[in-house]
Amino acid sequence: MSAGGLDPALLPLLRELGDLKRVRSADMDGSFATRGFLRGWGRLVRGEDAVSVAHAQVAGALAAARLGAMDGDKLAQLGLDEEAARSVLLRSMDEVAGPLDRDLTETLRRAVPLHEDDAEEDAPAFAHALGLQPRAGVTCPGRPRIMLQPEENHADHCFMVAVYASLMAPAFGADPVRCWWFGTVHHLHNAAMPDAGFTGEMLLEPHLGAVIEEARRQALDELEGDLREAAAGVFEEIGGDGTPEARAFHAADVIDRVLEIEHHVKARSVTMDTVLGEYELVHEGPVKGFHDDVLRAVGLP
C-alpha cells in the first residue's frame, strides 16, 4: 500500500512532539507522555467517550509541543483566567499546527483542555505497568542489544503513536479517533510481557503467538463491557495494513520507533556552535555583554 499521501513537512512537528516523552515537571510523576497515557485510560474507564478523550489528548499534546508541562491547570495556578489560559494554549498550538489538516486543526482547537484531573489514578493496572515497562532498545537476532539510556517506556510509545496516528489520519483518509485508539491499545501485552525486542520474538518461536495472546488476555481482563470489546477488536485490524486506520497506525508506529533512535543519535552529535549560535544559549538580555566577557575570560567554548 502507498504512503504517498504523507507530507514531509509534518516530520519536524512529529520530532518536536516526540520530546513529550522527555518533558517533566516538579508536580508530574513521569513524563508528559506517560501521564497523558494514564489519564486517557483513566477517563475511558470512567466511561467517557473515546472521541472527547482522543481530541483532548491530541490537542493537549500540540499545545505542549512548545509549552511543555505548562498546561491549563498550571496557568490557572499562576493567576491566568480561563480566557487568558485558552489564548496561551491556542497560540502554542498554532505555532506548530501549520502542516496539519485544517479541519482536524479546527476540531482540536475547540478541544484544547483547560483543566486536567486525576484520571490517571483510575487507569487500570496494565496502564500503570506499561508506564514502568522499558522498551527493548535496538535488537537483532544473533547480535547483542544496543542499549539506549534513558530508555522510553511503553506508555510513552503508545501515547506518541496514538497522537501521531491521529494527526496523520487525514493523509490516509482515516478516522483520527480510531487511529488514536489503535495507538493507545496496541501494546497491551507488554504490561505483563517484558520487551525483548525482535531478538526475543524470534527466540520465543514457535510460542510467540500464544505468549502474546495470554499477556494480552491478562490486560483485557481488567476491562469490562464495551471498552473490553473495543480493545479486543483492535488487534485483527492492525495485524495488517488493509484499512486506512491501520495504515495510519502503522505509519505512526514505525515513525515513532525510528525517531526515538534518531533522538539518541542526535543528542550525541550536538555541537557548541549549534547551542551558542543557532539556539542562543547566552541570549539577549541586560547582562549578555557581561556573560560574553565571562565566557571569553575563561576560554569557553
Side-chain angles (χ1 to χ4, degrees):
M1 295 291 181
S2 172
L6 286 175
D7 185 350
L10 190 60
L11 186 58
L13 171 57
L14 301 183
R15 284 194 178 103
E16 194 167 355
L17 287 169
D19 279 335
L20 296 179
K21 300 175 185 178
R22 290 165 277 276
V23 166
R24 297 172 180 268
S25 70
D27 59 352
M28 183 183 295
D29 185 12
S31 72
F32 182 99
T34 292
R35 193 176 186 188
F37 180 77
L38 294 175
R39 279 177 172 167
W41 272 110
R43 292 178 63 185
L44 291 168
V45 167
R46 286 179 177 180
E48 295 187 43
D49 67 281
V51 174
S52 62
V53 177
H55 287 162
Q57 290 222 309
V58 178
L62 285 173
R66 296 287 166 87
L67 281 173
M70 190 78 71
D71 60 14
D73 287 324
K74 182 58 66 178
L75 292 171
Q77 291 170 19
L78 298 175
L80 271 64
D81 62 24
E82 285 201 356
E83 182 178 355
R86 185 187 302 277
S87 176
V88 170
L89 293 169
L90 291 177
R91 271 205 315 276
S92 185
M93 287 181 64
D94 291 343
E95 278 204 8
V96 300
L100 299 176
D101 175 83
R102 289 188 179 182
D103 289 341
L104 178 59
T105 299
E106 285 305 309
T107 296
L108 296 175
R109 290 181 97 257
R110 291 191 295 270
V112 65
L114 285 177
H115 303 291
E116 298 288 1
D117 52 27
D118 295 325
E120 62 262 37
E121 296 178 1
D122 292 328
F126 69 73
H128 288 277
L130 288 167
L132 297 173
Q133 190 75 279
R135 301 266 292 160
V138 182
T139 70
C140 180
R143 299 179 182 273
R145 184 189 308 237
I146 299 175
M147 298 296 293
L148 300 170
Q149 299 290 333
E151 74 278 357
E152 64 176 328
N153 62 53
H154 279 80
D156 286 334
H157 171 67
C158 289
F159 180 85
M160 292 319 311
V161 171
V163 170
Y164 287 177
S166 185
L167 294 178
M168 291 191 292
F172 294 91
D175 175 3
V177 174
R178 288 189 70 222
C179 295
W180 172 86
W181 178 232
F182 288 2
T184 297
V185 168
H186 78 290
H187 269 289
L188 289 191
H189 61 284
N190 282 116
M193 180 180 174
D195 190 353
F198 183 27
T199 298
E201 291 178 354
M202 294 301 97
L203 291 173
L204 276 168
E205 291 292 3
H207 312 292
L208 177 63
V211 169
I212 289 177
E213 283 298 319
E214 173 57 22
R216 191 175 285 158
R217 182 196 63 76
Q218 292 178 20
L220 288 170
D221 281 352
E222 297 180 36
L223 302 175
E224 298 178 353
D226 292 343
L227 187 58
R228 186 188 194 284
E229 184 177 344
V234 165
F235 302 108
E236 182 176 356
E237 187 167 346
I238 65 173
D241 60 1
T243 67
E245 287 75 20
R247 289 192 286 278
F249 158 75
H250 283 295
D253 186 39
V254 72
I255 288 172
D256 184 64
R257 285 159 53 198
V258 174
L259 285 183
E260 179 65 18
I261 308 307
E262 181 190 69
H263 160 77
H264 290 276
V265 172
K266 287 177 65 176
R268 295 178 181 180
S269 62
V270 172
T271 68
M272 291 305 294
D273 285 344
T274 299
V275 172
L276 290 171
E278 184 178 345
Y279 279 80
E280 299 183 81
L281 177 65
V282 184
H283 51 76
E284 290 296 333
V287 295
K288 183 180 186 303
F290 177 68
H291 285 169
D292 290 339
D293 288 343
V294 167
L295 294 177
R296 280 192 294 268
V298 298
L300 282 174

